[in-house]
Every structure is written in C-alpha cells, then in structure tokens.
Amino acid sequence: MNTEENLWELYLRQHFISQKQTREFIAEVAAKGSTKHNEDIADIIVAKGSEFRKETIVAILNQRDTEVAEILKAGGSFADGIVQMSPRVTGVWESAKQVFDPTKHKKTLDMSVTAAFKAALEKVQVKVMGEKASVATIALITDTATGKTDGTLTIGDDIIIEGDRVKIQDEADSEQGVFIVDASGAEHRVSRRLSVNKPGQLIARIPSDVPAGRVKVIVRTRYSGNKNSVLKTLRVVAYSLDCTAQEA
C-alpha cells in the first residue's frame, strides 16, 4: 500500500453538544468506499494471487469469526494484528452478594488497538479538508451502554446520533423518526419519545424487537432548518456505516 493510500481526510463540523459559548469543531473522517466484509477481504486475497478459491477463503474467515466468538463467550480473550478483545461487565453492584441483573449490568467487550497497529498508524497521513458543508447528515453514533462509536448498538439502550439537520419535526407523525433497518429489510421505528431532539443531536432508544445482527440507522424528518417552514417531502438521512445490534 503506497503513502497516498495511507491518508485520512478530515472534515470539520461544529460540535453541537458543547456547553461552551466558543465555536468548536470535531473531526469526521471521510469514508472511502463501503464497509468491507469477509467476502471483500477474500476478493483482495485472490486478486493478489492466492492459490485458494474465494469460497475457501470466505469459509476460513467465517470459521475464524465463529471460533473467536466462542472464545469470548467462554470468558477468554483474543488478539490479532489489529485489536485485542476481552470480556467486560459494566454496572455497579450494591453488595458483594448481589447477583447479575441485566437491567443494571451490561455484558460487552473491551477492545484496544494492538501495539503493532499503533505503530502502523504512525505512518498514516492526516489531511484537514476544511469545514464540512451544512447538509443533513449523520456524522457519528455513540452507543451509551458501551461508549462505543464503532457501530455497536445495544438493544434496549440509548444511542446518541450527532449530525446536521436531523431533528424530527413531529414525533407524532409515524412517517418521521429514527428507524433501525435489520438484515431482512424490516424497519423498526423508535416509538419511545426521544430524550433529545435537536438539529444536531438525537438520543433514541433501540427498540427491544430489533434482532441482533447487522443493521442500518435511518432518520426521516420534515425538518427544514427554518422554524417557519416544513419540508413537503420527507428528508431521509442514512448513517453511512453499517451497525451491529447486540443484546444487552
């Protein structure tokens, strides 16, 4: 991979949740292409001259995912060349005899970048492209149960959606709102009242009927950005990253 490919392009956007009166910005890394999966990795390996067929490589990668999941579910830790993962339970116990309570405690994973990949990141160049144009967009989603911003969504818990012009004009309108689209294409609308509903931030609870697995997050609204007007046509804002819904 050449130096030009080891480049992150950043766009800056105003930090809407800042409590300060000064103008602040946070960075958004411009996505290059779609999210890659095992099938895409197999294509790359084959293109580089592997003697194995794509189907064989995909099967091996998928089996690797299964075995790693089994190690973690059994309470073990796992590290590859990119990240190290280990089980974690969050929450507070009121006494040493209190049992695990899924309404107060959450099962999750700690993930950290390996030393080898930290060294690799030192070679990545960063280019600031300037302020991002003010358009309707979802820039970042934070899972409040885990604090992760990697696309993890905890079913039954809140997510923080940050972006531009994402405010829901009318929460009573069933066509508007935050929608979670599962792998089958079924849509699950957030019916619970939004904890925060602002142009730059939404806080929404993932519905309990969302199945675990790959999902997309979509916001539909008639918010125009002008308090005196409403969009005649629904604005659809989709998060560019694939997300993963997981059980609490």
Side-chain angles (χ1 to χ4, degrees):
M1 185 174 287
N2 60 46
T3 304
E4 186 61 26
E5 291 175 320
N6 287 316
L7 174 67
W8 291 0
E9 294 180 342
L10 302 183
Y11 287 91
L12 303 180
R13 62 180 184 81
Q14 193 168 359
H15 192 23
F16 289 97
I17 65 174
S18 172
Q19 299 300 313
K20 298 180 180 179
Q21 296 301 314
T22 54
R23 191 167 151 86
E24 291 184 340
F25 292 84
I26 57 176
E28 177 183 338
V29 180
K32 293 184 178 179
S34 59
T35 301
K36 299 298 186 288
H37 303 288
N38 283 346
E39 291 78 4
D40 303 298
I41 298 300
D43 285 332
I44 294 171
I45 294 174
V46 170
K48 289 185 175 181
S50 173
E51 63 185 35
F52 297 105
R53 298 169 60 235
K54 175 181 177 178
E55 293 77 9
T56 302
I57 298 172
V58 170
I60 293 172
L61 292 175
N62 287 342
Q63 184 65 32
R64 182 259 195 192
D65 291 345
T66 299
E67 297 307 326
V68 170
E70 291 300 320
I71 290 170
L72 294 167
K73 288 191 294 182
S77 297
F78 176 81
D80 55 21
I82 308 296
V83 296
Q84 179 167 340
M85 297 173 278
S86 57
R88 182 185 179 198
V89 176
T90 62
V92 176
W93 269 257
E94 298 172 358
S95 75
K97 294 183 178 181
Q98 182 183 359
V99 299
F100 177 84
D101 183 347
T103 66
K104 298 179 179 179
H105 310 129
K106 306 296 179 185
K107 293 167 285 187
T108 183
L109 295 176
D110 272 334
M111 300 181 67
S112 58
V113 177
T114 62
F117 195 67
K118 284 181 180 178
L121 286 176
E122 293 296 325
K123 300 178 182 179
V124 174
Q125 301 297 311
V126 176
K127 183 178 181 181
V128 179
M129 308 299 289
E131 185 173 358
K132 188 170 184 177
S134 180
V135 296
T137 184
I138 298 174
L140 185 70
I141 293 180
T142 303
D143 181 58
T144 61
T146 63
K148 293 181 179 180
T149 57
D150 61 357
T152 297
L153 308 179
T154 301
I155 300 168
D157 267 297
D158 290 342
I159 57 172
I160 301 173
I161 301 173
E162 295 182 70
D164 294 336
R165 302 187 185 185
V166 293
K167 178 179 179 179
I168 307 303
Q169 182 70 30
D170 181 4
E171 291 189 55
D173 179 2
S174 61
E175 291 187 329
Q176 299 184 59
V178 178
F179 297 82
I180 311 300
V181 185
D182 64 32
S184 71
E187 296 189 352
H188 307 262
R189 181 176 181 270
V190 174
S191 57
R192 184 179 184 273
R193 181 183 175 87
L194 300 174
S195 300
V196 174
N197 184 17
K198 297 180 180 180
Q201 185 188 66
L202 303 173
I203 296 183
R205 180 153 300 176
I206 302 298
S208 59
D209 62 346
V210 172
R214 193 176 302 165
V215 297
K216 296 288 290 185
V217 178
I218 295 175
V219 171
R220 294 193 180 100
T221 180
R222 296 187 187 277
Y223 176 71
S224 67
N226 185 332
K227 66 179 181 179
N228 296 318
S229 65
V230 176
L231 295 176
K232 294 182 179 180
T233 303
L234 277 171
R235 171 183 283 141
V236 180
V237 189
Y239 192 36
S240 60
L241 299 180
D242 285 334
C243 296
T244 302
Q246 64 176 24
E247 299 289 347

